[in-house]
Amino acid sequence: MKTKALAGLVLIAMAQSAVALDEPVPAATTYIYAGRLLADPASGKVETNKTIVVEAGKIAAIRDGFVGVGNIVDLRDKFVMPGLIDSHVHLTFESGPTNRLDAVTKSAVDQAFDGVVFAKRTVRAGFTTVVDLGSEPQAINALRDAIATGKVTGPRIIAAGAVAAHGGHGDIHGYRQEILDVFRAPTLCSGADDCARAVRVAVQQGADVIKTASTGGVLSNTAAGLGQQMSDAELVAIVETAHRLGRKVASHAHGTDGVNAALRAGVDSVEHGTYLDAESIRLFKLKGSYLVPTLLAGDTVTRQAVDAAWMPTAVRAKAQALGPLMIDALQRAHRGGVSIAFGTDSAVSAHGENAREFALMVKAGLTPLEAIKSATVWGATHTGLDGEIGSLEAGKSADIVAVDGDPLTDVRRLETVAFVMARGVVVRAADE
Ligand SMILES: [Zn+2]
């Protein structure tokens, strides 16, 4: 009797949850009136007075003039362009004084809830697609899936599984042994075979892409420096195994030796690239790999090294030099013809401030249009989603951003977007 009643309750709960989920359903057809429209940043062509027709989360057509009746979004006084892509974020946390405690107190569920907040800030800032290059796997995968099914407001997430060396960047440092034994990730590795195993485990856990770290890191709480940490054989094993499983590989790398080792191993992108040299530039182009510069992370930690009392001493020394070095590295890479994908490493800087990267890229010598390309068409090619995102055309996802003024003359206009649509759902209305 008791069991039967309980079963009844479960059924009722299930029925309620099926209707109670308040998922945003895109209106049948939406007509967006665009005063100025940069539909395809690859061409750089700005058109005037266009209507973007949106149906079922996708762009159905782009028409001349202002046409259509019913659900109208009036952006006649705005500059309209594709949703932005940030190819390097960590959505489930933010850098700050409580990080070391958070690492051993926050469950995957806690981290997922934090991620809900940060995801909303990110998409409302105009970033409709992100690559998450290292968050707690259960948390980021659940967040990715909840956003994809419309339960949670956020950007489309490509989620990485992190494969890193024992004792290196990506491991945890400075805790007592018992803590390390509990919290060490199963995707840490030593030796080529073990690193192949770690890639397979990451894919098993749901990774869309593999993140590795060929060198030390600025925010690792260890004085190991920024040179190569993974062996050439380990890097080759990681890339080969990931590619066999249909996953791209992004490698964190600062020191010249580790940047070049990662490129020789065939990684799809190098993150940061702080000490890249002429040989790196040759290898980037030879292998078709992208540089994801993360200037905002450099700018942020260099500022924090001056005034953030919570920054560990081992971190502070590395952080001080970083910002200007990264700008110089991007300048050299860009002049040398390296493919660039926009990435901020947000979590180091606050989520939702991603667009501050644009002005730093312009400082490094990119034109505003080139910086915009790196966050649209180039980012789309880098992530392999160029059939879906990066430009506005019939059949692509309705990921649309609008700003006041002209971002092609003042790229900082992108720091305060006026309107955002993500997969056909308005997440920031123009009249907010
Ligand atoms: Zn990162």
Side-chain angles (χ1 to χ4, degrees):
M1 185 66 191
K2 215 174 171 184
T3 318
K4 209 173 170 186
L6 198 62
L9 275 176
V10 171
L11 279 175
I12 291 165
M14 283 170 70
Q16 281 177 340
S17 80
V19 291
L21 281 175
D22 190 19
E23 297 174 18
V25 178
T29 302
T30 302
Y31 299 92
I32 300 175
Y33 294 173
R36 284 158 296 153
L37 175 65
L38 176 66
D40 183 6
S43 74
K45 193 170 124 196
V46 180
E47 299 168 290
T48 53
N49 301 349
K50 292 277 185 177
T51 300
I52 307 168
V53 185
V54 175
E55 277 169 6
K58 289 190 184 300
I59 296 165
I62 297 177
R63 302 215 183 107
D64 292 331
F66 302 127
V67 298
V69 284
N71 193 18
I72 307 288
V73 174
D74 185 358
L75 303 175
R76 283 178 294 178
D77 62 347
K78 303 274 188 274
F79 185 103
V80 181
M81 53 185 282
L84 303 167
I85 304 162
D86 189 329
S87 293
H88 190 141
V89 302
H90 304 271
L91 266 189
T92 63
F93 61 95
E94 218 167 57
S95 187
T98 63
N99 284 166
R100 281 178 55 71
L101 190 58
D102 291 347
V104 290
T105 55
K106 289 201 170 187
S107 69
V109 181
D110 293 324
Q111 294 175 60
F113 278 116
D114 288 348
V116 169
V117 175
F118 297 139
K120 189 171 182 181
R121 281 183 199 160
T122 302
V123 76
R124 280 173 50 81
F127 289 81
T128 50
T129 302
V130 300
V131 184
D132 187 289
L133 285 185
S135 284
E136 200 286 329
Q138 287 187 36
I140 195 63
N141 293 345
L143 183 62
R144 170 193 65 196
D145 298 345
I147 291 169
T149 51
K151 293 171 195 156
V152 166
T153 300
R156 174 189 291 98
I157 296 175
I158 300 158
V163 172
H166 286 114
H169 182 61
D171 200 349
I172 52 175
H173 302 273
Y175 297 97
R176 51 187 285 176
Q177 190 59 45
E178 298 90 321
I179 306 268
L180 296 178
D181 290 343
V182 172
F183 287 98
R184 275 216 155 108
T187 50
L188 290 166
C189 62
S190 290
D193 286 351
D194 195 39
C195 290
R197 175 203 57 82
V199 169
R200 292 180 178 129
V201 171
V203 171
Q204 239 177 9
Q205 291 178 338
D208 301 314
V209 55
I210 297 300
K211 161 78 176 297
T212 193
S214 63
T215 75
V218 175
L219 299 186
S220 295
N221 184 22
T222 168
L226 296 174
Q228 183 170 351
Q229 291 186 340
M230 300 196 92
S231 71
D232 293 359
E234 286 171 336
L235 290 166
V236 168
I238 288 168
V239 171
E240 282 184 353
T241 310
H243 286 175
R244 282 180 186 137
L245 293 171
R247 302 313 198 268
K248 294 192 181 209
V249 178
S251 183
H252 157 110
H254 291 290
T256 314
D257 51 0
V259 169
N260 293 349
L263 289 168
R264 276 194 303 272
V267 299
D268 300 280
S269 65
V270 165
E271 312 295 314
H272 320 305
T274 311
Y275 293 95
L276 62 85
D277 67 358
E279 172 64 2
S280 318
I281 291 170
R282 189 187 73 81
L283 286 167
F284 267 112
K285 292 192 284 186
L286 180 72
K287 301 281 188 171
S289 306
Y290 279 76
L291 172 66
V292 181
T294 71
L295 305 180
L296 183 54
D299 187 70
T300 303
V301 300
T302 299
R303 285 171 203 275
Q304 286 171 345
V306 178
D307 58 15
W310 51 267
M311 187 176 267
T313 312
V315 173
R316 187 180 301 272
K318 288 178 279 187
Q320 264 160 355
L322 203 69
L325 283 171
M326 280 182 159
I327 289 188
D328 181 63
L330 174 57
Q331 192 155 36
R332 286 182 286 115
H334 176 57
R335 279 197 198 131
V338 173
S339 299
I340 312 288
F342 179 104
T344 59
D345 212 353
S346 287
V348 176
S349 55
H351 292 288
E353 296 185 2
N354 314 54
R356 289 174 54 209
E357 180 83 13
F358 286 110
L360 295 167
M361 295 178 94
V362 169
K363 203 172 162 186
L366 276 75
T367 64
L369 178 61
E370 286 170 335
I372 288 169
K373 284 180 184 176
S374 78
T376 53
V377 281
W378 296 346
T381 311
H382 162 58
T383 55
L385 294 181
D386 45 318
E388 198 179 338
I389 59 175
S391 62
L392 301 178
E393 57 184 286
K396 285 198 172 179
S397 181
D399 295 347
I400 300 167
V401 164
V403 296
D404 291 306
D406 183 1
L408 296 177
T409 52
D410 177 10
V411 82
R412 295 197 59 189
R413 291 286 183 172
L414 292 165
E415 292 175 19
T416 48
V417 295
F419 168 88
V420 184
M421 174 180 272
R423 284 152 292 138
V425 178
V426 175
V427 296
R428 179 184 285 279
D431 51 8
E432 260 182 50

